[in-house]
Amino acid sequence: AVAAEASRRGAAVTLVAGPSPVEPPTVAELVRVRSAEEMHAAVLARADAVEVAVLAAAVADYMPVERAAQKMVKGEGGLTLKLKKTPDILADLGARRRAAGRGPILVGFAAETEEVVARARVKRERKGADLMVANDVSRADAGFDVDTNEVTIVDAETTDRLPLQSKVRVASAILDRVEQLLTKAASGKAENP
């Protein structure tokens, strides 16, 4: 919904998309990936060329240490999988921006089940994002697999709770905030050429 709305507003959108039953909108560039590592590489390769990076994908936090080359045959006992953290795309973009002193506006999403806004505040700060969009994914009427969402947009100073509404309207509200940040950044550059 965010990609479609940004495209509708005239942005040249690059959409890096993992496997999904949702048909992607028409955008300037569609990059298909299958893994967290592929998404990490695709996003970081394009990040320096964009003004805004919206990281809305629900990338798994962990992945298997070893990937089986073939189907694993069921045995008698249980099975123990060793997991490792997946690359944190938003945190890596935030670190790159801090190190370089420049980079795109960063918008992250915090899919939580408890202490939703408090955790989003911590994530925004830790990862170096400008905005964090917090949503409670334990709700049946919001978040994953439905067309509605109720979110709270968190920035350095404020929290803006949006009521339950269509994801299209949520996307519009998020991009309204992004446009405010772009306007503020442009006026700062004009004052300090």
Side-chain angles (χ1 to χ4, degrees):
V2 174
E5 178 63 14
S7 188
R8 188 192 69 73
R9 291 181 184 206
V13 175
T14 297
L15 176 59
V16 179
S20 172
V22 177
E23 186 66 30
T26 302
V27 294
E29 180 184 17
L30 175 62
V31 180
R32 289 289 194 176
V33 297
R34 291 206 39 86
S35 70
E37 291 163 323
E38 288 176 5
M39 183 171 281
H40 183 267
V43 171
L44 267 64
R46 291 161 176 79
D48 291 336
V50 301
E51 290 182 78
V52 178
V54 178
L55 292 100
V59 178
D61 293 330
Y62 294 91
M63 63 185 175
V65 170
E66 292 183 28
R67 187 179 185 123
Q70 301 164 347
K71 179 188 179 290
M72 296 174 65
V73 178
K74 188 187 320 183
E76 287 300 314
L79 176 68
T80 301
L81 292 176
K82 288 190 176 186
L83 303 176
K84 63 181 178 180
K85 285 185 177 181
T86 55
D88 190 325
I89 302 167
L90 180 57
D92 288 351
L93 287 176
R96 276 179 39 167
R97 186 173 70 174
R98 282 189 293 269
R102 61 179 169 70
I105 290 170
L106 299 176
V107 180
F109 280 66
E112 300 291 346
T113 56
E114 47 188 16
E115 300 179 31
V116 176
V117 175
R119 288 183 179 177
R121 281 190 190 109
V122 171
K123 278 185 177 181
R124 190 203 65 76
E125 181 68 27
R126 186 179 75 240
K127 296 183 183 206
D130 298 285
L131 299 176
M132 189 64 68
V133 180
N135 61 320
D136 182 347
V137 294
S138 67
R139 294 177 49 163
D141 63 346
F144 300 126
D145 299 324
V146 293
D147 292 329
T148 56
N149 210 347
E150 179 179 314
V151 304
T152 302
I153 302 173
V154 178
D155 67 20
E157 299 158 3
T158 64
T159 57
D160 183 17
R161 185 183 162 279
L162 303 179
L164 185 67
Q165 57 191 304
S166 73
K167 287 184 178 177
V168 171
R169 290 189 60 190
V170 170
S172 182
I174 292 166
L175 290 174
D176 287 348
R177 291 292 298 277
V178 168
E179 286 181 355
Q180 291 170 3
L181 291 173
L182 286 168
T183 300
K184 186 177 177 181
S187 67
K189 287 178 187 174
E191 293 172 8
N192 302 311

